[in-house]
Amino acid sequence: MPEITVRGLTKRYGKVIAVDDATLTIKDKEYVTILGPSGCGKTTLIRMMAGIIEPTEGKVFIDGKDMKGVPIEERDLGYVFQNIALFPNMNVGENVSYSPRVKGKSPEEQGTTSHKYLELVKLLDKMGMFPGELCGGEQQKVSLARALATGSKLLLLDEPLSALDARVRVDLRYDLRRLVKALGITTVHVTHDQEEAMSVSDRIVLMRAGAIVEMGTPEQLYTKPENIFTMNFIGETNLIEGWVRERSVGLCKIELRDGSELEVHSCPYDTGTAVVVSVRPEFVYPFTSGLRSKIVSTTYMGTYWRMTAESASEDEIDFDVPVSDGHLYKIGQEVYLMINNKATVVFPRPHEGIAEAVKLE
Ligand SMILES: Nc1ncnc2c1ncn2[C@@H]1O[C@H](COP(=O)(O)OP(=O)(O)OP(=O)(O)O)[C@@H](O)[C@H]1O
Ligand SMILES: [Mg+2]
């Protein structure tokens, strides 16, 4: 029943704070992703969970047991390294059956295990080859198969799919989630890919500059984030500056920089508060009225056209139109944009400025 808790976990390298006071619990059988931009401390955090790196401060508990001084081999977990670390002198089959072998399982059982997981990652035909003869994506799949073959109920994966083609990555992430759910494995999966995190996780832990910014289900973080960084990092969003002009029950009038007005739902701030209204592109529609704007760029995205417009209030607003309507919009054209006011999230305007608040580091 592996449950993993970290409390006040901190790692310092001289003046660099790689992980800053992280506290969280990953429940038994839960699939949690640690998401965040490059350099935010994801690898350092998961390595401290695994026992590869010693924390400067704080503690790691697995099933309530303090892991201080317990090496990775004794933590009963499967681990996938970000920089794939296969045994170069063992072939693919031997790499995957490494854990059952050191546990003294029979040759037959070793063979069944490596067969099972190599089949999962679709590499049965490479069983006899050596890591040096495989491409990066194949090595990553072997690494994943080897971690699964440990048979342990706790899996720690550091960017396990990053070296794969976009298509394979998508297929394999669903297979991975299905498998660990079927086997009842507790999984911590590090990624910087927000779409990957959204699609596999029970819960996402979002990090920035060493610290945990916010945790929640993918839906919570996408629709009702508490932090403007989360709103901007997970999915795409428009950020419109304004002030609360008038508050009433349920609705709130926001004055924009050109004096125009935008009505939004659920804005808990007092009249006069400087705010940022955030709305995702899929909730902005061209209409006969709304925010007066001018198209500044049009991009063909395959399944839709992405339009970027600049409003009279000098906010940049992205919205999407169906492929069939793409020809209706030209750069320089004036449009009116309606905003679905139920889909807005209002944040107080950050003191450090919006750009600084959503910056990746
Ligand atoms: N051994 C080390 N010595 C000094 N600084 C380190 C060391 N390891 C990591 N850091 C620093 O700690 C920070 C966090 O690094 P970490 O590898 O945890 O980031 P990450 O979120 O995994 O990034 P990426 O997505 O690029 O893998 C970085 O600024 C990194 O330079
Ligand atoms: Mg990393």
Side-chain angles (χ1 to χ4, degrees), residues 7 45 52 82 99 140 147 152 187 202 250 270 294 313 341:
R7 204 174 295 152
L45 177 58
I52 302 165
Q82 179 166 16
S99 170
Q140 198 161 47
S152 87
T187 312
D202 296 325
D270 291 338
K294 203 174 253 182
S313 57
N341 59 18

Side-chain angles (χ1 to χ4, degrees), residues 185-204:
I185 294 175
T186 307
T187 312
V188 187
H189 173 153
V190 161
T191 180
H192 63 270
D193 179 339
Q194 51 95 7
E195 198 187 288
E196 187 169 298
M198 289 284 289
S199 60
V200 296
S201 316
D202 296 325
R203 216 150 45 100
I204 297 175

Side-chain angles (χ1 to χ4, degrees), residues 63-85:
D63 275 342
K65 282 197 281 298
D66 188 346
M67 288 289 118
K68 190 169 170 56
V70 180
I72 182 166
E73 312 82 74
E74 289 168 27
R75 293 194 183 191
D76 191 18
L77 49 87
Y79 193 91
V80 170
F81 286 85
Q82 179 166 16
N83 47 353
I84 309 141

Side-chain angles (χ1 to χ4, degrees), residues 240 256-262 284-296 308-319 332-339:
I240 302 168
L256 306 188
R257 282 180 288 193
D258 63 335
S260 63
E261 196 178 87
L262 184 61
V284 179
Y285 323 94
F287 196 58
T288 48
S289 63
L291 300 182
R292 188 164 59 84
S293 309
K294 203 174 253 182
I295 306 271
V296 292
T308 301
E310 190 178 295
S311 64
S313 57
E314 294 181 20
D315 292 290
E316 202 176 90
I317 302 176
D318 287 344
F319 64 102
Q333 185 178 332
E334 196 165 82
V335 285
Y336 287 86
L337 298 177
M338 278 299 278
I339 285 175

Side-chain angles (χ1 to χ4, degrees), residues 31-202:
Y31 197 126
V32 168
T33 50
I34 299 176
L35 174 69
S38 184
C40 72
K42 305 180 295 296
T43 294
T44 311
L45 177 58
I46 200 171
R47 286 188 169 196
M48 288 193 284
M49 289 179 177
I52 302 165
I53 296 179
E54 195 60 31
T56 313
E57 275 164 41
K59 285 187 179 297
V60 177
F61 299 90
I62 296 178
D63 275 342
K65 282 197 281 298
D66 188 346
M67 288 289 118
K68 190 169 170 56
V70 180
I72 182 166
E73 312 82 74
E74 289 168 27
R75 293 194 183 191
D76 191 18
L77 49 87
Y79 193 91
V80 170
F81 286 85
Q82 179 166 16
N83 47 353
I84 309 141
L86 295 173
F87 303 115
N89 54 340
M90 292 182 199
N91 70 27
V92 166
E94 291 161 349
N95 259 282
V96 177
S97 62
Y98 175 77
S99 170
R101 193 161 55 254
V102 297
K103 284 181 184 153
K105 303 284 178 185
S106 69
E108 196 180 19
E109 209 168 326
Q110 292 172 35
T112 318
T113 308
S114 61
H115 193 281
K116 175 173 164 190
Y117 292 110
L118 284 173
E119 189 169 31
L120 174 86
V121 297
K122 301 189 177 66
L123 278 184
L124 266 182
D125 55 332
K126 304 274 161 108
M127 186 106 133
M129 291 176 75
F130 285 86
E133 300 170 318
L134 305 177
C135 69
E138 290 164 339
Q139 292 179 21
Q140 198 161 47
K141 288 183 187 175
V142 176
S143 183
L144 185 58
R146 187 179 59 178
L148 288 163
T150 57
S152 87
K153 294 283 183 197
L154 175 59
L155 205 51
L156 303 181
L157 312 170
D158 191 356
E159 306 269 6
L161 309 172
S162 61
L164 306 172
D165 294 334
R167 228 359 235 287
V168 181
R169 196 158 71 210
V170 170
D171 288 348
L172 200 55
R173 75 188 183 209
Y174 292 124
D175 291 345
L176 180 62
R177 182 179 157 93
R178 246 195 314 275
L179 183 85
V180 299
K181 284 291 170 188
L183 296 175
I185 294 175
T186 307
T187 312
V188 187
H189 173 153
V190 161
T191 180
H192 63 270
D193 179 339
Q194 51 95 7
E195 198 187 288
E196 187 169 298
M198 289 284 289
S199 60
V200 296
S201 316
D202 296 325

